[in-house]
Every structure is written in C-alpha cells, then in structure tokens.
Amino acid sequence: MFTGIIAATGTIQHLQNNGSDVRLRVNVGKLDMSDVALGDSIATNGVCLTVVEFDQHHFSADVSSETIARSGFAHYTNGQGVNLEKAMLATSRFGGHIVSGHVDGVGEVKSIEDKGKAVEIWVTAPTDLARYIAEKGSVTVDGVSLTINEVNGAMFRLTLVPHTLQETIIGGYKPGSRVNLEVDVIARYLERLMLVDRAADTTKQTDISLAFLAENGYLNKG
C-alpha cells in the first residue's frame, strides 16, 4: 500500500519488450534505496511494481500486459520522467490517502492555468471512472495523492502548490499529457457493497443508478 506522497522523481532508462510484457530499468534519482530488497514494491507513476533487480541508483521491474493496457506505460519511452514512492511501513505517517498502486485508467490533461503561485489543472477521466470522481474527494494522478476541487462531467479540477510542482513530474505537464489515474478505493468497495446480493448475479444490471439508490433508501423517492 502507498500514500500518494512522492519521495523522488526518476527516469526510465531502458524498456525491453519481452513479447507479452516489458522489463524496465529506472534511475531512481534521490530515492533512498538503502532499505530496498528484492520483491519490494515501488510505485512508479502510480503503478505498483515489484523490484527484480536493483543497486544504489536503479531498479528493474516487469510490467505485465494488463498494466500496459490500463496505464500510460503503453506510451512511455526511454527518458520518461516518473514519480516514485516506496511501499509504506506500518510506522509511516499517512500523509495522503489509501493508494493501492493499481491504476484504473488513463486520463488526459485538458488545460493548465496559473493561479498566483499555484497552478490549476483540468483533467478528463475515462467515462467509466467518472462516477468515482467527487468534489473534495481524493484521486491519484501519476501516483500523487490530490484533492479534487471541482467536477464537470468526466472532467475534474486540481490545484497544485509549488512544492508539488517542484517535487513531482506534474510540473512538466502540458495540455494533452496522458496521466495514470487511480480512483479512491473506498468508493469502489462502497459501490460493490451497495449492490448486496446483486453483485454475484451476472443477469442483472450492476451499475449504481439513481433509481437503485432510491429503491434502497439512499435517496428520498419523493
């Protein structure tokens, strides 16, 4: 598990296509590797990757076809900057929100505007993820835990302070940049729990709707 608080930025040095998956090698920048062991997890642009080789300045990991299909890794090349976070310890401060490192989809940066020292960014999420995006809720963007300040359909607005812009790859975003998104895991489990006995029935519609909420007492039918 991760918190979405980025420890360092790194750079992809090598991508090796092995047919159905990819082996990548990452220069970790200032990330402290002194306590890393084989098999540890490092979130790389929000994707939980398992360390298969490492030294003081690098680590290698395999990226599965599932991860490639669901994340921006399909478009990454050598020199790609990445946000890095080691898996949290039980004794760590929980500074962000619950981040699993399982990317749900790829969003697109639509606009960037300076607001004083901060920057406002509008991002479009895939349509099937829009229902998990809530104003003042949390979202993970390339591994960074961020607060959603406004929602407009499948689009949402983020406000980035200078520290976040300096310490992550977000400072290099441009309109059209593709970003890994992980929605709040609590929202996903809440949706599943609200389906109750319908969750295992493949013959019924399983999407949460206003009618379903009203039927189960979550909305006033009147």
Side-chain angles (χ1 to χ4, degrees):
M1 189 174 72
F2 306 91
T3 67
I5 305 300
I6 301 305
T9 58
T11 306
I12 294 177
Q13 285 195 326
H14 183 65
L15 289 163
Q16 177 182 334
N17 191 322
N18 296 323
S20 61
D21 57 18
V22 170
R23 169 72 61 91
L24 64 82
R25 179 175 169 85
V26 178
N27 182 306
V28 300
K30 65 179 183 180
L31 187 71
D32 180 11
M33 297 288 285
S34 62
D35 60 348
V36 171
L38 288 178
D40 280 359
S41 297
I42 297 179
T44 305
N45 269 8
V47 178
C48 177
L49 296 179
T50 300
V51 175
V52 296
E53 295 177 355
F54 74 97
D55 58 33
Q56 185 179 354
H57 303 292
H58 310 84
F59 78 90
S60 296
D62 294 317
V63 184
S64 70
S65 58
E66 170 70 11
T67 298
I68 293 169
R70 285 183 174 265
S71 72
F73 273 95
H75 307 282
Y76 290 175
T77 58
N78 293 338
Q80 168 81 35
V82 288
N83 294 320
L84 300 173
E85 181 191 356
K86 292 183 290 188
M88 70 176 294
L89 302 173
T91 55
S92 301
R93 287 185 176 179
F94 207 138
H97 73 282
I98 298 173
V99 177
S100 67
H102 303 156
V103 170
D104 294 300
V106 178
E108 181 179 342
V109 175
K110 301 304 290 184
S111 66
I112 302 174
E113 183 178 355
D114 292 335
K115 289 290 184 179
K117 293 183 178 180
V119 169
E120 285 189 351
I121 298 179
W122 279 92
V123 178
T124 299
T127 302
D128 61 339
L129 296 183
R131 64 181 181 270
Y132 304 112
I133 305 294
E135 186 172 332
K136 296 306 176 184
S138 296
V139 67
T140 308
V141 179
D142 278 342
V144 184
S145 172
L146 296 170
T147 300
I148 299 162
N149 289 322
E150 186 178 351
V151 176
N152 183 3
M155 294 179 62
F156 59 93
R157 177 172 60 84
L158 306 167
T159 302
L160 288 304
V161 298
H163 179 79
T164 303
L165 296 170
Q166 293 166 7
E167 298 298 322
T168 73
I169 66 169
I170 294 178
Y173 285 176
K174 299 176 181 179
S177 292
R178 297 168 66 85
V179 295
N180 292 330
L181 300 178
E182 180 185 333
V183 298
D184 191 345
V185 65
I186 295 175
R188 278 198 172 279
Y189 279 113
L190 179 60
E191 178 185 50
R192 190 70 171 173
L193 287 169
M194 289 172 65
L195 292 171
V196 196
D197 57 335
R198 301 188 189 190
D201 189 344
T202 59
T203 65
K204 297 180 180 179
Q205 175 68 33
T206 58
D207 285 344
I208 296 294
S209 64
L210 290 177
F212 176 85
L213 293 172
E215 178 184 344
N216 288 273
Y218 291 95
L219 294 177
N220 188 334
K221 297 181 182 179

